Amino acid sequence: MTSTPAGPATSTPPNPVRRTIAITVGVLVVLVIAFFAFAGLYTDWQWYRQLGFDGVLVTQWTARVVMFLVGFVAMAAPVFAAIQLAYRLRPVYARLSSQLDHYQEVVEPLRRLAMWGIPVFFGFFAGFAASAQWETVWLWANGVTTGQTDPQFGLDTGFYLFQMPFYSVVLGFASAVLLICLLVTAVVSYLYGSVRVGQRELRISKAARIQLAIVAALYVAVQAASLWLDQYKTLTTQGDRFTGASYVDVNAVIPGLGILSVAAAIVAALFIVTAIIGRWRFPLIGTALLIVSSLVVGVAYPWAVSQFQVAPNLETYEAPYVTRNLKATKFAYGIEGLEKTPYEAVTTAEQGQLRADADTTASIRIMDPAIIGPTVRQLEQYRSYYQFQNPLDVDRYEIDGKTQDAVVSVRELNLDQLGNAQSWYNNTLVYTHGYGVVAAKGNERTDDGNPVFLERGIPTSGDLTQNEKYEPRIYFGESSPPYSIVGAPEGSNPVELDYPRGEDGADQTRTTFQGDGGPDVGNPFNRLLYALKFQSTDILFSDGINEESQILYDRNPRDRVQKVAPYLELDSDPYPSVVDGRVVWIIDGYTLSNNYPYSSIVSLRDAISDTTNTQPRVALDDVNYIRNSVKATVDAYDGSVTLYAWDDQDPLLQAWQKIYPSTLKPVSEMSGDLMSHVRYPTDLFKVQRAMLGTYHVDDAQSFIRRDNAWRTPQDPVTPANLQPPYYLTMQMPGQDQPSFSMFTSFIPASVGDDERNVLLGYLAVDSNAGSEAGKKGEDYGTLRMLEIGADVSVPGPGQVQNEFRSNADVAREVNLLQQGQSDVLNGNLLTLPVGGGLLYVQPVFVQASSGTQLPQLRKILVSFGKQVAFEDTLQQALDKLFGGDSGATAGDDGTTPSPSTTPGATPSPEPTDGTDTPPAGVGDETARLLQEAREVMLARDDAMQKGDWAAYGEQDERLTNIIDRLIQLDGE
């Protein structure tokens, strides 16, 4: 037997087929990822292009790419140079320890990769960080002067708004680059013997010494520049009492920062000296002295000045700086023009006392938009797949030559209520839009406690839609579907459900979208891209999509405005209005900053949070400058966005207009009808009232003592939140005529539960922008403050609400209302300065405890001083409160409440033509039965939609009885 000796081991050559497959799969994966990325970018561009704002997206893309490249190069190039220099200048012959030899053995095979990989790694991080700061850089490049100077350094405030943030970013970035360069230089020098540590000795080669010393000098020089910049930052830093440089800052901190900056510059020079002469002692001693100096000059000395000089003499030393803060804060929040009026309120009610306030009492809103939402839904929803926003919005319209306050909402879709009918086809192609505006008078009610509608019904009818070109369809709203596909060639059969009623006995009417509301999906390529975007194969394969199809998405008005104007903080309360025959959403936009010198900082989230907005979301929370710089509209039919430069003097808006040119229109292009619906923004008013709680005073001594500090009262109905401001058409003391305005009240500021709920101030802002095209109302935005005298104690909202609850007569009436499984709901508590005092008005609603809940106005609570009245109508309550005759007429005068209506029961709706009178020639009994039949049919349809056949049978039987009675009346 022979054996073959084993030969040397050989490796199996790689299989070329496997390699080809692996490369092919890798390429395909990269292509798929790239195509998905392209689909996202291209569809975004399509969306912006369709709206006419593609320049906004191109600007963002360009800026981010440029800043990424700048950041990448600014980090990668110095790090690469530092590594290369440290390696190339290493000693050729260096005695290394065994441990370093081992390190080199490990590192050497990866050296080339590391020399390129480390700079690229840090470069990518720096690039992404720089791209996130593109807005700061672009604002610096496009900044403007403001014409206002700071009181400390005499610099234009534009320096703080535009330049200081940029310098801060640049210095922070440079510090990071130099610190990383210093670290990689030290590591490479150590690994290759330029820096040796051993036997209690540190040895550094000449080349490494020069490189390390120069990098360290540059790093310390950047810190010197940062310390110098910190002097200016003291004007925007929030202190213990106010924002801005105080006496301690001006006399200790700012000089100390200047000294430290010069000292740091000297230390940087000492590092340069070390690079030349090779002595490390001087810069190291200088660095140690710099640290000690920073503790003494930057910490100990300011503390000593604060404790031993300022604290015992606070008013004397701080008054000039508080005056600076008062002036700057009032300007930055737009409250410097506050008109203050002393108001010696009376608390006794006498006959005829409201005669001079007749116009105001006629406009008092008794329909609470936060409560009547379910009532509007029950009366006007028609089908379960419709819905209304809750709370409703407040607007005003001119009816028969008089301004009428109204609560409004639009009828939007609620696809969740389709139940088993939900499918991609129905959700996307059929149920595409809501229908019509519903509006009710704010100051009136029907006999059974329901709203008096100005506009209602399907098809719509009423006072608001008499324009022949009125477009009722709501494709873009706050509750629109995520996306819909609409449009069809001319002459094709409509697919979209328009509304559930048709001609000649048809049960529905269909329509086809005729506008330009979204990107085209008529070609296969776009269909593929949007199928990827929305992860839906139905978009790709549905035969319901044709060459004229458009895809509508990002349909919330607030989201649309935010995308085309990303520099704005938007008001949390967009509202719909009928303007020039179109339903449009009106949205207020703010420019914000937290860098205005000497202006106090406020938490935007806390300031705008109240009962109507308990958890607001904001992009920038702590701010000290705000302007309502833009008014935006979004067309509810085609989604078109229009931005108007409402405050073209705002320096931030001027800078943004240079960054995004041609996106804003001037106010001169606003129509008169649009102007008549513009109102003072809610969130801005909330921020201003938050500041005015402290900044209503004019002298520094009062501000320092806090002897007259106010705050917004808690909502008396929901005490966990602040009371929301409210819109009313009212004549303030000192005004010549009533004006649509917004109001709020103030009580003393307190700590903890120890509060005194009495009125100290009452704030109003004129919210009427006028009705002249392109011209703001002269008084629009005027802030008026009534300062209530301390001689007479005027109860605050919490105290009044407590009086209502504890009053024996009111409690008895409320107990009666709660009988029969009913709930009593207290509406908004309104405060009105009429009759020489403060009148409180609160509507009281009743609804069923379970089942169909339909709040109906049953009572009105009123209070003046210590007197309380609780009656069926506001007119009755006012007359009772003021000795039997108030001297004024309320909006519900002439209303005869129906005593027979069960609380919470479904009432008889008004005629769908928006009038309150029956058709001509119809008797009272016949009209009543017709209204009841209409109500029963609605209830029957609702029961059928819900599948409640027992309720359906009951309603059908009721309808049969009503028809029989109508037949009998006809025979009589």
Side-chain angles (χ1 to χ4, degrees), residues 942-950:
D942 186 55
M944 181 175 66
Q945 290 288 333
K946 295 177 179 178
D948 188 350
W949 299 112

mmCIF file of all heavy atoms in Angstrom, residues 942-950:
data_model
loop_
_atom_site.group_PDB
_atom_site.id
_atom_site.type_symbol
_atom_site.label_atom_id
_atom_site.label_comp_id
_atom_site.label_asym_id
_atom_site.label_seq_id
_atom_site.Cartn_x
_atom_site.Cartn_y
_atom_site.Cartn_z
ATOM 1 N N ASP A 942 -80.870 58.585 10.899
ATOM 2 C CA ASP A 942 -79.722 58.382 11.777
ATOM 3 C C ASP A 942 -79.765 56.991 12.410
ATOM 4 O O ASP A 942 -78.732 56.313 12.515
ATOM 5 C CB ASP A 942 -79.709 59.466 12.860
ATOM 6 C CG ASP A 942 -78.463 59.402 13.725
ATOM 7 O OD1 ASP A 942 -77.352 59.446 13.163
ATOM 8 O OD2 ASP A 942 -78.604 59.305 14.955
ATOM 9 N N ALA A 943 -80.950 56.559 12.829
ATOM 10 C CA ALA A 943 -81.094 55.220 13.411
ATOM 11 C C ALA A 943 -80.762 54.139 12.389
ATOM 12 O O ALA A 943 -80.139 53.122 12.714
ATOM 13 C CB ALA A 943 -82.514 55.036 13.955
ATOM 14 N N MET A 944 -81.178 54.367 11.144
ATOM 15 C CA MET A 944 -80.892 53.380 10.097
ATOM 16 C C MET A 944 -79.389 53.279 9.854
ATOM 17 O O MET A 944 -78.843 52.187 9.693
ATOM 18 C CB MET A 944 -81.618 53.769 8.810
ATOM 19 C CG MET A 944 -81.397 52.779 7.655
ATOM 20 S SD MET A 944 -82.378 53.183 6.200
ATOM 21 C CE MET A 944 -81.613 54.738 5.728
ATOM 22 N N GLN A 945 -78.693 54.439 9.821
ATOM 23 C CA GLN A 945 -77.250 54.428 9.623
ATOM 24 C C GLN A 945 -76.536 53.666 10.737
ATOM 25 O O GLN A 945 -75.537 52.978 10.503
ATOM 26 C CB GLN A 945 -76.711 55.871 9.561
ATOM 27 C CG GLN A 945 -77.113 56.644 8.309
ATOM 28 C CD GLN A 945 -76.377 56.134 7.078
ATOM 29 O OE1 GLN A 945 -75.283 55.601 7.198
ATOM 30 N NE2 GLN A 945 -76.979 56.286 5.912
ATOM 31 N N LYS A 946 -77.054 53.767 11.965
ATOM 32 C CA LYS A 946 -76.430 53.109 13.107
ATOM 33 C C LYS A 946 -76.878 51.653 13.249
ATOM 34 O O LYS A 946 -76.355 50.929 14.094
ATOM 35 C CB LYS A 946 -76.748 53.863 14.397
ATOM 36 C CG LYS A 946 -76.157 55.274 14.437
ATOM 37 C CD LYS A 946 -76.566 55.997 15.721
ATOM 38 C CE LYS A 946 -75.968 57.391 15.774
ATOM 39 N NZ LYS A 946 -76.385 58.137 16.987
ATOM 40 N N GLY A 947 -77.844 51.238 12.451
ATOM 41 C CA GLY A 947 -78.338 49.875 12.568
ATOM 42 C C GLY A 947 -79.221 49.645 13.779
ATOM 43 O O GLY A 947 -79.436 48.506 14.182
ATOM 44 N N ASP A 948 -79.748 50.723 14.357
ATOM 45 C CA ASP A 948 -80.619 50.627 15.528
ATOM 46 C C ASP A 948 -82.062 50.505 15.030
ATOM 47 O O ASP A 948 -82.790 51.493 14.914
ATOM 48 C CB ASP A 948 -80.442 51.866 16.414
ATOM 49 C CG ASP A 948 -81.184 51.729 17.746
ATOM 50 O OD1 ASP A 948 -81.973 50.768 17.875
ATOM 51 O OD2 ASP A 948 -80.980 52.579 18.627
ATOM 52 N N TRP A 949 -82.499 49.298 14.729
ATOM 53 C CA TRP A 949 -83.799 49.101 14.076
ATOM 54 C C TRP A 949 -84.961 49.316 15.034
ATOM 55 O O TRP A 949 -86.068 49.659 14.594
ATOM 56 C CB TRP A 949 -83.852 47.697 13.468
ATOM 57 C CG TRP A 949 -82.771 47.525 12.432
ATOM 58 C CD1 TRP A 949 -81.681 46.722 12.512
ATOM 59 C CD2 TRP A 949 -82.664 48.232 11.189
ATOM 60 N NE1 TRP A 949 -80.893 46.855 11.388
ATOM 61 C CE2 TRP A 949 -81.479 47.779 10.560
ATOM 62 C CE3 TRP A 949 -83.454 49.184 10.547
ATOM 63 C CZ2 TRP A 949 -81.057 48.248 9.326
ATOM 64 C CZ3 TRP A 949 -83.031 49.655 9.308
ATOM 65 C CH2 TRP A 949 -81.857 49.202 8.701
ATOM 66 N N ALA A 950 -84.722 49.142 16.331
ATOM 67 C CA ALA A 950 -85.791 49.432 17.283
ATOM 68 C C ALA A 950 -86.116 50.922 17.261
ATOM 69 O O ALA A 950 -87.283 51.335 17.204
ATOM 70 C CB ALA A 950 -85.373 48.986 18.691
#
